[in-house]
Amino acid sequence: MNRLPSQAEVVIIGGGIIGCSVAYHLAKLGKKDVLLLERKKLTSGTTWHAAGLVRAMLYSANLTRLARHSLELYTRLEKETGQATGLKQNGSISIASNPERWDELRRGASMGRAFGVEAEEITPRQAQEKWPLLNIDDMVGAIFFPRDGQTNPADTAMALAKGARQGGVKIIEDCKVTGIVTRDGRAAGVRTAEGDIKAETVVNCGGMWAREIGLMAGVAVPLHAAEHFYVVTEPMDLPSNLPVMRDMDACAYYKEDAGKLLIGAFEPKAKPWGMNGIPEDFCFDELPEDFEHFQPILEGAIHRVPKLGEAGIRKFFNGPESFSPDQRYLLGEALELKNFYVAAGFNSIGIQSAGGAGMALAEWIVGGHPPFDLWDVDIRRMAPHQNRKTYLYDRVSEALGLLYAMHWPYRQYETARGIRLTPLYMRLKENGACFGEVAGWERANWFAPDGVAPRYQYSFKRQNWFPYAAEEVKATRERVGLFDQSTFAKFLVRGPDAERELQRIAAADMAVAPGRAVYTQWLNERGGIEADLTVTRLAEDAYMVVTAAATAGRDLHWLKRSLAADARVTVDDVTNAYAVLGVMGPASRALLQPLTESDLGNQGFPFGHSKEIVLGNVAIRATRISYMGELGWELYVPSDYAIGVFDSLLAKGAEHGLKLCGMHAMDSLRIEKAYRHWGHDITDEDTPLEAGLGFAVAFDKNADFNGREALLRQRAEKKLTKRLLQFALDDPEPLLYHNEPIYRDGKLVGNTSSANYGHYLGRAIAMGYVRDEGGVDAAYVAAGKWEIEVGLKRYPAQASLRPLYDPTSARMKV
Ligand SMILES: Cc1cc2nc3c(=O)[nH]c(=O)nc-3n(C[C@H](O)[C@H](O)[C@H](O)COP(=O)(O)OP(=O)(O)OC[C@H]3O[C@@H](n4cnc5c(N)ncnc54)[C@H](O)[C@@H]3O)c2cc1C
């Protein structure tokens, strides 16, 4: 008899800890018809050999929520299933042996507080009391996280599997999925040697195989395996209540393991593995030892724990783990295929993440949307080229080490760079640009003056480019700045039903005259902001949608999925057809007017309008809007004319004091003006009313729109208990980066969502949601004494509902 069913509602591929957790949580949500297929044995991929460290905190509020869920779940699993997990919460100590790391750890501890995680600053001596073998000679300080701990990965996965089975999930081992069945753009089942299985939903939890499984379905799952090492000593008579210890400056972590010490490595240059495919029979396998590779870590370990010099090594372990291009895992429904979900690429934190990620994905599958904002790990953030083997191979050699490297603000990748360039790239480079990467694009972040190398020197304090970005901001505020904004994604929406469709999708009124550029949000049914963009009406039946590079794939996907089945509309991605030059600042009109016969005056070309004009010899589209808060135009130039237009602007600009400006300056300008940044200040769990964007919602337009009902309900409550505020520190010295705790009258009320130095205002500026059940309004803001915590120290701040820079937007409308 065939042991496989012919169909299941949900098929999960992969029986590692992630697949088991997704299965467990689907069962908890009442899904009865769930099938998990494992090619060999449960846990036989990566899970069985993990070190099992679990932390209570991750780098964002919602990922910390997921980590907390993992810990709570692992605490109760044994009671629930009868299978022990081996969880011990002895806490963890992170140590610093230089001032920069100490800065980082203290900022991290503050972030923990913002997310409700206990974090105690302790002295080297106190650290030694908790961890007696520690050499503290060169230590500056340490942070103790009392809730952290360690678990047994295989036992925890088996407990989840047991709980899943108890909830009705069917688990079949030794059954490899060999193909994905698709129909009408959706997953419809899986293929195995024992026959096909129909399914409504397919979930790829294939660990380091997940990329291959994705390719079976035409779905990009950018991850690559790397060798990952630890050693286990001979017994050292260690107490079983020893906390985990991290010495990130020495790229190492330590955990007690049945009286022995396990020392794991996050070396700076890792060894990618499995480039030519993973061996077919891989099952509970180890990779060959590489003592030479591990030796520097061991030397550092003997320095930190001198007793190791006397201990023998019992086990040298090397096993593969998968890493993603940005060290964040890949979760959610694939852009390319409906009902095909992914949970993979766990970057060495799959054990601690499994509980939360499994819960989130199960809710996503059942509810049709993420339970809360998970953009940090959402698979839709990846650009297509990031799934190329060579790209992944290069990046993964760097990715593993970055987990313990200094988490510098603005840190840029050194591998797999220079792949996607704007038409102006070489010109910008010749002019001193220092580039950073976003969504696979190279973007000029700042410009080095003559004689200065365009290279970052990182710090938590002012970095080397700080004064140059300040000059760029000054030029834009006082004269004119030229920005390469070509990485904007551009979609043409055309057809007789274009207006009808966009009216339903956008919260603003799209029934405007051709030539109008409208700032709008696209909302989900809950009123949350799925996209934040500008839509320009080109003609009665044509619009151009412009959005950020980082959300290009996601926004295009949202647009296409939101169209009615019968809509007579085509959508074309024309991103690469146009460069975008931002000419911004009070002198922008004086610079541009002599180059065109079109009237650029305030009457002839008002704010929020867009026109085709001839600039020099080139027909372009000019749109009068600004993300920088100044008079200015975005020029959409056909890519083949971009360099010519750029050269003439640069030449003519000299007499107006034009300066080339980068993304760091742009971010400083926009945060002074309190312009929101999607993914930080606004997400799918924030509504326009909470975000202070109610002005952009056309409640009374002549059409219903997604999210309207939810917003009307929220508006009827007459009280907002969560609102986005802008902050400025009183003290001009400290810098803010985001995720800093916000206090009102000494009480924690939120955390910053984005931050930068406001070069023009001369202080660090941030935005952040503040929550209060009594309501957050102007009186509440004015009555509070506000502080923001930086590195465990609180600094007084000014809070405001209105932009601190040019609150009436007068400067853009002159
Ligand atoms: C040395 C080392 C130390 C680590 N330490 C920690 C730690 O301290 N803390 C922590 O949180 N994480 C740690 N990790 C990471 C953690 O082990 C992983 O992130 C986690 O196990 C990934 O789980 P998974 O379910 O995604 O992958 P896996 O466990 O590999 O599961 C994937 C499963 O899919 C199956 N599969 C693949 N293809 C198919 C197919 N076609 N059909 C059916 N089944 C298929 C595989 O056989 C495999 O069993 C460590 C990893 C290593 C290597």
Side-chain angles (χ1 to χ4, degrees):
M1 199 184 103
N2 193 341
R3 64 186 182 134
L4 296 190
S6 61
Q7 63 181 58
E9 188 180 345
V10 183
V11 172
I12 298 169
I13 308 169
I17 194 164
I18 303 297
C20 292
S21 178
V22 174
Y24 172 91
H25 286 93
L26 282 171
K28 283 278 168 223
L29 290 175
K31 289 277 166 204
K32 293 284 169 227
D33 189 14
V34 178
L35 173 68
L36 185 153
L37 298 177
E38 164 54 47
R39 56 182 265 287
K40 297 282 184 191
K41 301 291 176 204
L42 293 183
T43 79
S44 65
T46 296
T47 295
W48 70 278
H49 56 58
L53 274 46
V54 284
R55 302 200 65 179
M57 182 175 90
L58 264 176
Y59 42 80
S60 80
N62 283 348
L63 293 184
T64 299
R65 255 164 107 172
L66 297 189
R68 192 174 301 136
H69 177 83
S70 292
L71 268 172
E72 286 165 6
L73 174 65
Y74 300 167
T75 317
R76 58 171 201 267
L77 264 184
E78 178 172 359
K79 198 157 171 232
E80 187 184 316
T81 65
Q83 161 75 53
T85 59
L87 178 72
K88 293 197 291 189
Q89 281 176 280
N90 296 339
S92 81
I93 303 171
S94 293
I95 67 166
S97 52
N98 58 62
E100 291 79 21
R101 181 69 75 177
W102 190 220
D103 264 0
E104 178 187 304
L105 289 185
R106 284 205 315 269
R107 280 181 178 266
S110 277
M111 180 173 81
R113 287 182 183 175
F115 306 157
V117 175
E118 289 171 55
E120 295 166 21
E121 178 180 357
I122 55 176
T123 63
R125 183 71 56 208
Q126 288 168 318
Q128 200 181 40
E129 281 161 20
K130 292 184 189 294
W131 224 91
L133 301 182
L134 202 58
N135 168 14
I136 58 170
D137 286 355
D138 57 349
M139 253 176 72
V140 184
I143 304 288
F144 180 58
F145 297 93
R147 300 273 162 229
D148 288 1
Q150 59 194 68
T151 194
N152 182 326
D155 289 347
T156 308
M158 293 313 264
L160 288 165
K162 195 165 176 196
R165 281 197 183 100
Q166 287 167 348
V169 173
K170 189 161 187 192
I171 297 181
I172 298 184
E173 294 178 300
D174 299 308
C175 182
K176 181 178 173 181
V177 170
T178 54
I180 309 296
V181 182
T182 65
R183 197 178 329 108
D184 302 331
R186 13 179 356 127
V190 297
R191 204 145 270 165
T192 78
E194 298 169 61
D196 288 1
I197 303 167
K198 285 192 196 136
E200 286 167 30
T201 301
V202 175
V203 192
N204 176 359
C205 298
M208 62 185 164
W209 292 266
R211 180 175 174 276
E212 278 172 36
I213 296 169
L215 290 177
M216 293 176 193
V219 169
V221 184
L223 56 82
H224 197 298
E227 301 185 25
H228 199 18
F229 299 88
Y230 58 70
V231 295
V232 184
T233 65
E234 295 292 351
M236 287 176 70
D237 219 8
L238 298 171
S240 67
N241 65 352
L242 201 66
V244 165
M245 194 263 287
R246 289 183 178 81
D247 181 5
M248 293 190 279
D249 294 317
C251 312
Y253 63 87
Y254 301 75
K255 78 154 198 179
E256 184 274 337
D257 192 49
K260 305 179 282 295
L261 197 59
L262 182 152
I263 303 136
F266 282 94
E267 67 279 17
K269 190 153 175 43
K271 294 172 70 183
W273 182 79
M275 288 73 74
N276 302 316
I278 297 157
E280 183 59 32
D281 55 356
F282 190 97
C283 178
F284 294 116
D285 277 346
E286 299 183 23
L287 305 180
E289 294 180 9
D290 185 345
F291 189 73
E292 216 176 297
H293 189 74
F294 198 82
Q295 195 170 4
I297 305 296
L298 206 53
E299 282 164 11
I302 291 171
H303 167 74
R304 184 58 60 214
V305 185
K307 203 161 172 231
L308 276 175
E310 303 153 25
I313 302 289
R314 170 174 285 193
K315 172 86 189 148
F316 191 107
F317 186 84
N318 178 11
E321 160 68 338
S322 36
F323 291 84
S324 65
D326 59 3
Q327 304 92 61
R328 291 184 262 136
Y329 53 87
L330 307 166
L331 197 76
E333 191 180 13
L335 281 175
E336 301 91 335
L337 189 64
K338 214 167 171 1
N339 289 9
F340 186 83
Y341 288 81
V342 179
F346 277 86
N347 298 285
S348 209
I349 56 164
I351 307 303
Q352 74 165 47
S353 304
M359 176 269 282
L361 196 69
E363 290 197 11
W364 200 326
I365 291 167
V366 172
H369 56 81
F372 35 77
D373 164 45
L374 290 172
W375 179 238
D376 278 325
V377 290
D378 192 322
I379 191 166
R380 290 173 288 179
R381 72 188 183 279
M382 288 290 154
H385 77 255
Q386 294 181 296
N387 202 35
R388 308 275 179 271
K389 254 188 189 175
T390 42
Y391 171 90
L392 288 165
Y393 176 88
D394 289 348
R395 176 57 59 82
V396 158
S397 67
E398 180 185 11
L400 179 144
L402 287 178
L403 275 109
Y404 276 28
M406 287 295 297
H407 298 95
W408 296 120
Y410 309 104
R411 183 168 187 140
Q412 301 297 327
Y413 293 107
E414 284 166 14
T415 54
R417 292 289 302 272
I419 294 170
R420 197 172 188 197
L421 313 176
T422 76
L424 299 170
Y425 175 84
M426 286 312 290
R427 278 288 192 275
L428 302 182
K429 196 171 172 160
E430 287 156 18
N431 281 282
C434 181
F435 292 91
E437 184 209 86
V438 163
W441 283 100
E442 295 291 333
R443 303 194 306 179
N445 277 349
W446 53 278
F447 287 84
D450 286 347
V452 174
R455 202 169 302 127
Y456 280 92
Q457 287 164 20
Y458 297 120
S459 165
F460 279 95
K461 303 196 169 65
R462 285 156 174 68
Q463 299 188 1
N464 60 323
W465 50 268
F466 189 90
Y468 314 132
E471 282 302 315
E472 294 168 22
V473 167
K474 190 169 156 57
T476 309
R477 291 274 183 251
E478 295 177 356
R479 306 186 309 272
V480 56
L482 180 57
F483 298 78
D484 180 12
Q485 298 174 253
S486 307
T487 61
F488 274 166
K490 305 144 202 119
F491 312 134
L492 287 183
V493 183
R494 287 176 291 192
D497 295 333
E499 179 187 305
R500 183 193 81 187
E501 292 300 302
L502 284 173
Q503 277 290 61
R504 196 185 66 256
I505 296 167
D509 193 358
M510 294 290 115
V512 291
R516 290 305 303 267
V518 182
Y519 170 58
T520 187
Q521 286 77 43
W522 291 349
L523 308 180
N524 55 41
E525 291 307 319
R526 305 170 309 285
I529 302 172
E530 292 285 341
D532 179 68
L533 20 75
T534 306
V535 182
T536 300
R537 188 162 202 169
L538 307 178
E540 277 305 315
D541 60 354
Y543 292 82
M544 180 165 66
V545 172
V546 176
T547 190
T551 54
R554 177 190 171 112
D555 294 350
L556 184 60
H557 181 246
W558 183 265
L559 173 62
K560 286 184 176 170
R561 285 234 180 137
S562 303
L563 295 174
D566 64 349
R568 292 167 302 160
V569 168
T570 58
V571 179
D572 295 295
D573 183 350
V574 294
T575 301
N576 301 335
Y578 300 95
V580 183
L581 292 170
V583 183
M584 300 289 158
S588 53
R589 183 177 286 128
L591 164 62
L592 292 173
Q593 187 63 85
L595 300 174
T596 179
E597 289 178 1
S598 297
D599 177 8
L600 301 185
N602 207 22
Q603 302 295 321
F605 203 145
F607 181 77
H609 283 66
S610 177
K611 286 185 193 180
E612 283 183 358
I613 64 169
V614 175
L615 195 77
N617 296 314
V618 185
I620 63 158
R621 169 166 293 280
T623 302
R624 196 178 151 193
I625 49 172
S626 168
Y627 195 45
M628 296 66 155
E630 298 297 334
L631 171 71
W633 281 264
E634 286 174 2
L635 310 178
Y636 291 76
V637 183
S639 291
D640 43 349
Y641 292 100
I643 290 183
V645 170
F646 175 85
D647 286 349
S648 62
L649 288 175
L650 208 59
K652 293 273 178 216
E655 64 201 71
H656 301 280
L658 178 139
K659 201 161 180 52
L660 286 176
C661 300
M663 294 297 136
H664 291 337
M666 185 193 287
D667 194 54
S668 171
L669 291 155
R670 73 94 199 164
I671 204 161
E672 287 187 331
K673 185 72 178 79
Y675 282 151
R676 280 71 172 140
H677 182 256
W678 194 92
H680 283 107
D681 310 312
I682 44 179
T683 69
D684 56 5
E685 68 176 49
D686 310 308
T687 72
L689 301 181
E690 294 161 348
L693 297 175
F695 68 87
V697 178
F699 283 105
D700 301 327
K701 72 177 175 180
N702 195 14
D704 197 8
F705 60 90
N706 294 346
R708 183 168 183 270
E709 288 306 313
L711 290 191
L712 285 174
R713 277 195 302 278
Q714 190 173 49
R715 197 169 67 164
E717 283 167 17
K718 296 208 159 40
K719 176 175 86 170
L720 287 165
T721 55
K722 165 190 166 195
R723 272 184 105 167
L724 189 70
L725 304 185
Q726 191 189 23
F727 298 91
L729 292 186
D730 292 351
D731 181 346
E733 192 54 28
L735 299 182
L736 299 172
Y737 294 116
H738 87 297
N739 282 338
E740 291 92 0
I742 300 168
Y743 295 88
R744 180 182 183 273
D745 296 338
K747 185 178 156 219
L748 182 68
V749 287
N751 60 272
T752 59
S753 50
S754 73
N756 203 332
Y757 196 77
H759 289 286
Y760 207 70
L761 295 176
R763 298 184 277 162
I765 310 291
M767 287 197 269
Y769 285 96
V770 165
R771 290 174 166 78
D772 195 299
E773 284 311 308
V776 181
D777 57 16
Y780 172 93
V781 175
K785 180 173 160 286
W786 296 91
E787 289 169 306
I788 297 185
E789 184 177 304
V790 182
L792 300 175
K793 193 171 164 209
R794 292 189 200 171
Y795 293 89
Q798 175 188 359
S800 178
L801 275 166
R802 303 183 77 208
L804 293 169
Y805 180 77
D806 189 22
T808 60
S809 299
R811 294 179 63 86
M812 289 195 293
K813 297 183 179 158
V814 286

